[in-house]
């Protein structure tokens, strides 16, 4: 085919173009409108990190978002840690990437699992999550709902020690206390302490114990049938890698002529972003690039809705109980009568009126001399002797 013929084949008939524009309504641009509005408004995400001290929680968070949230952090000595209780510390930072703004809130829980007696050490954490639900519920039920601040915890990264043989009792109790309130993503901290075979065995052990104790961790949603194969493969890898074995580092080292983030050891270099060394890249992709919106949806549609339904049920039962105390006889709403019910009520009213009139007439007959000798039972057995309703009156026999 010559160049002129190819150029001619690319030309569009003006009449066909006009017909196409007539059939084009324009609602296909709705995703662009939503995108512009969302980018202008910005996004917010609240991430909680929990686990015992020394597992690299702060380092991992800084590695995930390429920022330093712990500039003014003070490290406690052994004596100060003895009397330390579980605290809730919030760090908020505004991040912008390619014009998209993200308000990131990190909720840290220093002191968790560090005491000798860890009985109910998760109570301050559950109370904090409930307080954020309560505040959002109050704001949502208020008069001004335009600028509601969403401080609900959307995800909780729980760090599991790599030095044990699975989940400790405090790990089990913590996740069971929070799995109905927040999306829990378990992590194996400091994965560079283990060889690949040990990591595989520990992952299998943790998965078995999660199923055994009935712990509900965050479940990745199923892929749609129209998704491309690359996304499906990525989703399969994420599901197979859970719980993620991660390594964090804030330092840059040189490896094979390239500068990478990692840790330098006498036997070699551990690269944080090398998928052959750890699952850091998979965790970052899941948390930020692929499943951040789903984490927020599950928080809003499942965890918050369960809390909201529970609050409304408690308020309703309390109101009903108060009404019963004030009024011993419950006042029930009267149903709207239909036509048949109205007819039945009218017939019953007429029968009651007739019976009352007959009783009055018979009492009057009883007072007369002609029936003074007759027992009242005889008179009551003669309803046919009653005159018509219109003829009742005083002095008529």
């Amino acid at each position: 085919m010559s160049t002129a013929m190819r150029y001619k084949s690319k030309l569009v008939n003006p009449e066909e173009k006009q017909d196409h524009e007539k059939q084009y309504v324009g609602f296909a641009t709705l995703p662009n409108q939503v995108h512009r509005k969302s980018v202008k408004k910005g996004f917010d995400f609240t991430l909680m990190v929990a686990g015992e001290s020394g597992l690299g929680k702060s380092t991992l968070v800084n590695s995930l978002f390429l920022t330093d949230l712990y500039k003014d952090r003070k490290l406690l000595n052994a004596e100060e840690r003895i009397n330390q209780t579980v605290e809730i510390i919030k760090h908020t930072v505004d991040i912008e990437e390619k014009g998209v703004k993200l308000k990131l809130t990190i909720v840290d829980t220093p002191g968790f699992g560090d005491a000798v007696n860890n009985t109910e050490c998760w109570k301050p954490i559950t109370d904090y999550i409930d307080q954020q639900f309560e505040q959002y519920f109050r704001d949502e039920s208020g008069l001004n709902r335009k600028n509601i601040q969403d401080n609900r915890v959307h995800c909780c990264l729980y760090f599991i020690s790599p030095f044990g043989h699975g989940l400790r009792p405090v790990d089990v109790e913590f996740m069971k206390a929070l799995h109905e309130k927040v999306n829990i993503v378990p992590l194996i901290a400091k994965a560079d302490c283990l060889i690949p075979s040990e990591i595989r065995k520990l992952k299998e052990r943790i998965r078995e114990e999660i199923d055994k104790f009935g712990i509900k961790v965050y479940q990745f949603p199923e892929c749609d049938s129209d998704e491309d194969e690359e996304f499906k493969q990525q989703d399969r890898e994420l599901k197979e890698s859970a719980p993620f074995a991660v390594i964090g580092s804030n330092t840059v080292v040189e490896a094979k002529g390239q500068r990478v983030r990692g840790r330098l050891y006498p036997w070699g270099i551990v690269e944080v972003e090398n998928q052959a060394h750890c699952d850091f890249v998979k965790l970052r992709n899941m948390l930020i690039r692929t499943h951040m919106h789903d984490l927020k949806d599950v928080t809003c549609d499942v965890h918050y809705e369960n809390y909201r339904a529970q609050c409304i049920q408690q308020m309703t039962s309390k109101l009903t109980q108060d009404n019963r105390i004030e009024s011993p006889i419950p006042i029930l709403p009267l149903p709207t009568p239909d036509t048949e019910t109205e007819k039945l009520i009218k017939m019953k009213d007429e029968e009651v009126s007739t019976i009352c009139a007959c009783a009055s007439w018979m009492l009057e007959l009883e007072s007369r001399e002609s029936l003074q000798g007759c027992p009242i039972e005889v008179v009551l057995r003669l309803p046919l002797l009653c005159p018509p309703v219109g003829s009742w009156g005083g002095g008529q026999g």
Side-chain angles (χ1 to χ4, degrees):
M1 182 182 293
S2 63
T3 305
M5 293 181 64
R6 287 199 299 269
Y7 178 75
K8 186 177 180 181
S9 63
K10 293 180 180 178
L11 293 177
V12 180
N13 191 350
E15 295 181 357
E16 294 180 358
K17 185 177 181 180
Q18 279 186 346
D19 294 340
H20 177 71
E21 289 180 352
K22 289 180 180 179
Q23 296 176 358
Y24 179 73
V25 178
F27 57 81
T29 61
L30 283 174
N32 299 332
Q33 299 176 34
V34 175
H35 177 266
R36 287 196 299 269
K37 186 176 180 180
S38 300
V39 170
K40 184 178 179 180
K41 183 180 178 182
F43 301 89
D44 47 28
F45 188 73
T46 302
L47 178 67
M48 174 181 282
V49 289
E52 67 180 32
S53 300
L55 293 182
K57 301 187 295 296
S58 306
T59 305
L60 182 71
V61 170
N62 291 334
S63 303
L64 283 172
F65 299 97
L66 297 178
T67 184
D68 188 5
L69 295 174
Y70 303 90
K71 296 179 182 179
D72 303 328
R73 183 183 178 188
K74 178 185 176 182
L75 297 177
L76 302 178
N77 54 34
E79 184 179 358
E80 291 173 335
R81 288 184 180 181
I82 294 176
N83 299 323
Q84 184 188 17
T85 58
V86 180
E87 299 180 43
I88 303 295
I89 301 178
K90 290 174 59 176
H91 302 271
T92 303
V93 61
D94 294 326
I95 306 174
E96 185 173 354
E97 184 181 59
K98 294 183 179 180
V100 179
K101 297 179 181 179
L102 174 66
K103 181 183 178 182
L104 175 66
T105 302
I106 303 297
V107 181
D108 200 357
T109 58
F112 173 80
D114 295 343
V116 176
N117 184 7
N118 291 313
T119 304
E120 293 190 350
C121 60
W122 53 85
K123 191 72 167 54
I125 302 176
T126 57
D127 291 343
Y128 175 81
I129 296 175
D130 289 337
Q131 288 172 7
Q132 304 313 309
F133 281 155
E134 181 182 359
Q135 184 62 43
Y136 191 86
F137 180 67
R138 290 178 182 273
D139 295 342
E140 190 182 42
S141 305
L143 296 177
N144 186 10
R145 301 188 298 174
K146 291 183 180 179
N147 300 317
I148 297 179
Q149 297 261 334
D150 186 7
N151 294 320
R152 297 171 295 181
V153 181
H154 301 118
C155 179
C156 176
L157 299 180
Y158 186 70
F159 289 70
I160 301 171
S161 175
F163 308 116
H165 299 282
L167 298 178
R168 301 176 302 165
V170 65
D171 300 333
V172 175
E173 295 299 327
F174 174 85
M175 289 192 281
K176 289 179 69 174
L178 267 75
H179 65 175
E180 298 286 354
K181 302 176 182 292
V182 68
N183 298 310
I184 298 178
V185 178
L187 305 177
I188 299 176
K190 293 189 174 182
D192 50 347
C193 298
L194 305 173
I195 61 176
S197 60
E198 292 175 336
I199 291 177
R200 286 194 297 269
K201 291 181 180 178
L202 185 58
K203 284 186 176 184
E204 293 177 0
R205 180 70 180 271
I206 292 174
R207 284 195 288 261
E208 291 175 358
E209 292 181 345
I210 286 176
D211 294 337
K212 175 183 176 182
F213 294 107
I215 300 172
K216 301 175 184 177
V217 297
Y218 173 69
Q219 299 293 327
F220 299 105
E222 296 295 332
C223 291
D224 297 330
S225 57
D226 57 347
E227 296 287 353
D228 54 2
E229 286 299 327
E230 183 179 357
F231 185 81
K232 292 181 179 179
Q233 178 64 25
Q234 185 180 10
D235 183 73
R236 284 193 293 268
E237 292 178 357
L238 288 177
K239 293 178 180 178
E240 292 173 357
S241 299
F244 300 105
V246 295
I247 303 170
S249 175
N250 295 330
T251 59
V252 178
V253 297
E254 187 173 349
K256 298 179 182 179
Q258 296 181 352
R259 295 177 63 84
V260 296
R261 282 192 301 156
R263 292 183 174 274
L264 180 63
Y265 293 99
W267 44 264
I269 296 175
V270 176
E271 300 178 24
V272 172
E273 297 182 356
N274 190 339
Q275 298 194 37
H277 294 177
C278 66
D279 299 327
F280 174 84
V281 175
K282 295 177 182 177
L283 173 65
R284 185 180 61 188
N285 291 341
M286 183 277 297
L287 199 61
I288 301 174
R289 300 183 181 181
T290 59
H291 290 77
M292 178 179 282
H293 204 278
D294 185 69
L295 287 166
K296 298 182 66 174
D297 288 343
V298 173
T299 301
C300 181
D301 299 337
V302 179
H303 300 302
Y304 173 69
E305 285 300 320
N306 291 338
Y307 174 84
R308 182 174 176 272
Q310 185 179 2
C311 285
I312 294 176
Q313 185 178 4
Q314 291 177 355
M315 293 167 59
T316 306
S317 60
K318 184 178 180 181
L319 182 62
T320 305
Q321 186 177 3
D322 293 342
N323 290 337
R324 287 177 179 175
I325 293 174
E326 294 177 1
S327 176
I329 301 177
I331 302 175
L332 301 178
L334 295 175
T336 304
D338 53 4
T339 306
E340 296 295 329
T341 306
E342 290 180 351
K343 290 182 180 180
L344 183 60
I345 293 173
K346 189 175 181 180
M347 291 173 58
K348 294 296 182 181
D349 290 340
E350 291 178 355
E351 291 179 4
V352 172
S353 300
T354 304
I355 293 173
C356 293
C358 288
S360 300
W361 180 75
M362 284 187 285
L363 290 175
E364 185 179 354
L365 289 180
E366 185 181 8
S367 63
R368 297 187 180 184
E369 295 180 356
S370 59
L371 295 176
Q372 284 183 356
C374 298
I376 187 63
E377 291 82 4
V378 177
V379 178
L380 291 176
R381 290 173 187 171
L382 301 174
L384 295 177
L385 296 177
C386 295
V389 177
S391 63
W392 290 341
Q396 293 183 4

